[in-house]
Amino acid sequence: MDETKEILAEKEEKEVVSKNFIEMIIEKDIEAGHCTEVVTRFPPEPNGYLHIGHAKSIILNSGLAAKYGGKFNLRFDDTNPTKEKTEFVQSIIEDVKWLGADFEERLFFASDYFDQMYEGAVKLIQKGKAFVCDLSADEIREYRGTLKEPGKNSPYRDRSIEENLDLFERMKNGEFPDGSKVLRAKIDMASPNINMRDPVIYRIARMTHHNTGDKWCIYPMYDFAHPIEDAIEGVSHSICTLEFEDHRPLYDWVVRELEYENPPKQIEFAKLYLTNVVTGKRYIKKLVEDGIVDGWDDPRLVSISALRRRGFTPESIRMFMELCGVAKANSSVDYAMLEYCVREDLKLKRPRVMAVLDPVKLVITNYPEGQTEYLEAMNNPENEEMGTRMIPFTRELYIEREDFMIEPPKKYFRLFPGNEVRLMNAYFVTCTDYVTDETGKVTEIHCTYDPETKSGSGFTGRKVKGTIHWVSAEHAVQVEARLYENLIDEEKGVYNEDGTMNINPDSVSIRKECYVEPIIKEAKPYDSYQFLRNGFFCVDYKDTTEDKLVFNRVASMKSGYKPN
Ligand code: ATP
Ligand code: MG
């Protein structure tokens, strides 16, 4: 039985819930003296921006290193020169730092190890464990066999060590055209694991590499390069996702044949998927290229830069990963859980202010014209340390359009003709009248206030059932707010059979005329607030200007998730 299965069985038996199965493996290795220092790594390919799935790997790997007093490396897996761009290197570094994963100076590039990889290949040839093969790509595929049938040996498999050494050197020196020869590991063409049927480990390709330029015209294949990278860095536990499980025998073969003293151990875990959310790099890229979203950091995406722009915090993402746990079986998590985490993180930290997103005017007919009164309000009633502020109150206010109805249904406790409500942090008001335009749309609501009912005055005369928020029409700051829904049409699911995606046409609603209390003038890019009753909002760093604040709604107040 494989080790992970044993550990999982043990975990079940002892009901060890405080540790995940990877931690249990690591602790066993430490106990048995196989591991003196825990070294982990995050190995992105710089071919796109990072997303929430990568965050899982980053938080898991850096967290393990921190927990066991070890080291965490950020290593760019840049062995494939066609797709890689330096632009992505910068964004990845920024995202990893933002998530709080501490790699200090431990930033590496796999391409810096090309010399060692070449030497490793030579060593395999010298041991009779690798050979230069002249079969074409199609022939190699044919010879490989299938799941049911073993493969056939290449006719070049028995070349002498001398001939292989000579040919491989000449491959490196550029004597052969691209694709005309490859170097293959000599393992077992009859292995039930197809990855072990003499896999290709080096190919000829004249491509300019972002780091090594034109120094190389041969490049190592992933399955050969990756274990060498880990071994060179002294990685103790090489944690990857499930699709590499079948590659583990080859990983182990490479580190064994190259005789590394403390070979790294590969452990696989399940990828993070979010239900009805696009997480794959390839698909996010398609949404960007097709112009369906406005760049990699469009707040509707779950790339790290988009989550940051929308107003998610590193703490909320960490909390989310903690709740998700580390599993060995693929499953899909609800986006609502991520929203729950950001609400939990922000609710005690950020000020709560009144903001009206869909304004209608409210006139208090018995309040003196031209008078401004400042009323005290707590910045966060659940966190007294955040202090208080003064809010201007005047004769003309804005309230939410949905907080008034001419003919209310049962159980509607907000404003309607004749009804009395509390204006949050202010007075009780009773609706006396309203004005409509020619289409019947309400343009103004009239009411009277009762000076006895001032908030904080200890008034106990009578109770009202509804409390609504408001802002002073004269003092409020006009801002833009962007409210988001899922980018995907949830009824149809993300992908169609032909690889296209089902896009929700109403994934963003832009409110250009929103009014917020004057305190909002202090807001800077990335600052977030709770707009009372409306949700958490974050200042958009990209579209905010000197004259206009733009807010992204991080999450509404409605929760679709309950922790157990
Ligand atoms: P994608 O699946 O989006 O194309 P990738 O796996 O090709 O991503 P890499 O840059 O190769 O992206 O991945 C870097 C690391 O992130 C790998 O170790 C990979 O296993 C891990 N990773 C990628 N996606 C997820 C995910 N959804 N959940 C957990 N880890 C992930
Ligand atoms: Mg990949």
Side-chain angles (χ1 to χ4, degrees):
M1 187 157 65
D2 112 357
E3 182 183 12
T4 311
K5 281 195 196 122
E6 256 169 58
I7 292 266
L8 284 172
E10 190 182 321
K11 183 170 156 65
E12 197 143 293
E13 216 169 274
K14 296 193 194 152
E15 288 186 36
V16 188
V17 282
S18 56
K19 283 180 206 155
N20 65 50
F21 75 94
I22 299 180
E23 290 168 337
M24 293 180 69
I25 294 177
I26 292 177
E27 287 178 21
K28 281 212 155 161
D29 289 343
I30 295 171
E31 258 166 51
H34 298 323
C35 170
T36 46
E37 183 178 36
V38 173
V39 182
T40 59
R41 85 285 175 269
F42 174 64
E45 209 184 328
N47 61 353
Y49 285 71
L50 299 184
H51 55 64
I52 185 96
H54 297 114
K56 171 147 197 167
S57 174
I58 294 164
I59 289 168
L60 173 63
N61 278 292
S62 63
L64 289 168
K67 178 164 182 174
Y68 297 104
K71 293 189 182 114
F72 166 68
N73 298 351
L74 171 58
R75 181 212 313 147
F76 285 98
D77 208 334
D78 58 350
T79 53
N80 182 4
T82 45
K83 292 180 286 180
E84 292 150 5
K85 277 201 202 156
T86 9
E87 170 202 349
F88 297 130
V89 171
Q90 280 319 312
S91 81
I92 290 171
I93 292 176
E94 188 187 345
D95 290 348
V96 174
K97 282 189 179 162
W98 180 75
L99 281 170
D102 191 3
F103 58 90
E104 296 165 49
E105 302 301 303
R106 306 180 65 80
L107 170 64
F108 303 109
F109 289 85
S111 56
D112 286 338
Y113 312 141
F114 279 159
D115 283 310
Q116 282 128 298
M117 291 173 194
Y118 180 79
E119 284 159 23
V122 170
K123 180 168 181 159
L124 289 182
I125 297 173
Q126 284 164 340
K127 291 175 77 172
K129 299 285 175 136
F131 65 98
V132 172
C133 182
D134 297 1
L135 292 180
S136 68
D138 284 339
E139 287 165 332
I140 289 181
R141 206 169 307 120
E142 251 168 63
Y143 275 68
R144 189 176 295 139
T146 62
L147 283 174
K148 292 195 192 97
E149 278 169 46
K152 282 188 301 194
N153 283 351
S154 159
Y156 303 98
R157 201 175 196 262
D158 295 323
R159 277 178 164 153
S160 70
I161 290 174
E162 288 66 36
E163 190 185 1
N164 281 318
L165 285 172
D166 173 63
L167 288 172
F168 187 52
E169 185 170 2
R170 288 164 62 195
M171 278 170 65
K172 180 191 72 161
N173 292 342
E175 290 185 30
F176 307 116
D178 284 7
S180 61
K181 289 186 190 330
V182 291
L183 184 71
R184 297 175 67 176
K186 196 192 274 192
I187 310 179
D188 178 8
M189 288 308 288
S191 170
N193 184 335
I194 295 186
N195 294 307
M196 299 298 272
R197 296 185 188 167
D198 293 4
V200 174
I201 59 176
Y202 258 95
R203 63 193 169 127
I204 308 174
R206 285 166 179 79
M207 293 187 287
T208 304
H209 188 278
H210 79 103
N211 181 20
T212 55
D214 292 321
K215 176 175 175 194
W216 297 93
C217 66
I218 54 171
Y219 288 99
M221 304 303 285
Y222 180 87
D223 281 341
F224 176 66
H226 202 79
I228 297 180
E229 295 157 26
D230 285 341
I232 290 173
E233 291 177 12
V235 166
S236 61
H237 296 86
S238 175
I239 297 160
C240 62
T241 40
L242 287 182
E243 69 273 26
F244 292 103
E245 196 162 17
D246 289 347
H247 298 242
R248 188 177 352 123
L250 180 52
Y251 184 101
D252 290 341
W253 185 91
V254 171
V255 292
R256 189 173 63 243
E257 292 301 336
L258 293 180
E259 298 163 40
Y260 286 104
E261 258 179 46
N262 291 304
K265 173 187 272 185
Q266 175 177 306
I267 306 171
E268 310 86 16
F269 71 101
K271 273 195 174 184
L272 170 71
Y273 294 100
L274 293 175
T275 311
N276 285 329
V277 175
V278 181
T279 45
K281 206 183 320 193
R282 201 153 52 91
Y283 290 97
I284 294 181
K285 195 172 187 164
K286 188 161 164 38
L287 291 170
V288 174
E289 283 169 358
D290 293 354
I292 289 164
V293 295
D294 173 24
W296 283 92
D297 62 356
D298 185 303
R300 290 167 294 178
L301 295 173
V302 292
S303 58
I304 309 286
S305 49
L307 291 168
R308 177 167 61 232
R309 180 173 173 195
R310 174 125 171 211
F312 284 88
T313 55
E315 292 80 5
S316 64
I317 295 174
R318 286 172 173 274
M319 188 195 301
F320 174 69
M321 298 308 169
E322 197 64 41
L323 281 178
C324 289
V326 181
K328 191 73 187 172
N330 280 322
S331 66
S332 176
V333 181
D334 215 349
Y335 184 83
M337 195 157 117
L338 188 57
E339 292 184 311
Y340 164 80
C341 293
V342 78
R343 275 191 218 103
E344 283 297 300
D345 182 43
L346 297 178
K347 74 177 185 193
L348 300 183
K349 283 191 200 162
R350 303 304 307 163
R352 301 181 185 181
V353 300
M354 296 194 283
V356 175
L357 304 186
D358 185 13
V360 61
K361 196 162 262 182
L362 183 86
V363 181
I364 305 170
T365 51
N366 62 339
Y367 196 84
E369 245 169 275
Q371 177 172 314
T372 304
E373 183 179 358
Y374 283 86
L375 303 170
E376 188 172 35
M378 295 193 75
N379 289 329
N380 189 326
E382 287 188 77
N383 180 1
E384 282 187 24
E385 280 174 26
M386 292 186 70
T388 61
R389 67 184 181 288
M390 303 306 285
I391 314 172
F393 183 80
T394 50
R395 187 174 198 265
E396 296 199 355
L397 310 174
Y398 289 117
I399 64 166
E400 297 287 353
R401 183 166 287 284
E402 62 167 31
D403 285 343
F404 174 78
M405 286 184 99
I406 301 171
E407 288 174 33
K410 272 202 179 129
K411 301 220 170 144
Y412 184 86
F413 300 119
R414 290 169 272 168
L415 264 190
F416 53 86
N419 193 39
E420 186 172 46
V421 299
R422 180 199 306 276
L423 291 177
M424 208 177 272
N425 302 307
Y427 298 96
F428 286 10
V429 291
T430 304
C431 176
T432 53
D433 199 6
Y434 59 90
V435 183
T436 57
D437 65 11
E438 62 278 9
T439 67
K441 187 178 172 191
V442 176
T443 53
E444 217 171 85
I445 301 157
H446 292 175
C447 56
T448 54
Y449 87 116
D450 177 356
E452 301 283 300
T453 59
K454 186 167 170 173
S455 178
S457 70
F459 174 78
T460 52
R462 60 188 182 278
K463 285 202 158 79
V464 287
K465 282 204 167 139
T467 300
I468 64 174
H469 63 274
W470 54 274
V471 292
S472 157
E474 183 189 334
H475 298 84
V477 179
Q478 189 176 337
V479 308
E480 177 176 321
R482 298 173 180 173
L483 314 186
Y484 300 105
E485 274 179 31
N486 195 345
L487 183 62
I488 294 300
D489 183 338
E490 292 180 5
E491 308 236 304
K492 295 188 186 146
V494 184
Y495 308 106
N496 296 312
E497 263 175 28
D498 60 359
T500 55
M501 288 172 264
N502 294 308
I503 304 298
N504 168 11
D506 302 314
S507 57
V508 56
S509 133
I510 298 180
R511 308 280 178 89
K512 289 194 180 287
E513 202 202 348
C514 303
Y515 294 103
V516 195
E517 292 177 34
I519 186 98
I520 208 69
K521 283 180 202 151
E522 295 171 1
K524 291 180 296 299
Y526 293 115
D527 281 353
S528 57
Y529 293 82
Q530 184 181 139
F531 288 175
L532 285 156
R533 301 170 65 214
N534 279 316
F536 289 96
F537 287 75
C538 178
V539 180
D540 189 85
Y541 85 93
K542 234 180 186 174
D543 296 337
T544 289
T545 61
E546 293 257 312
D547 315 314
K548 192 184 69 179
L549 283 163
V550 175
F551 283 90
N552 296 311
R553 177 149 77 183
V554 194
S556 74
M557 300 309 290
K558 288 188 209 102
S559 182
Y561 168 79
K562 276 212 170 53
N564 39 27

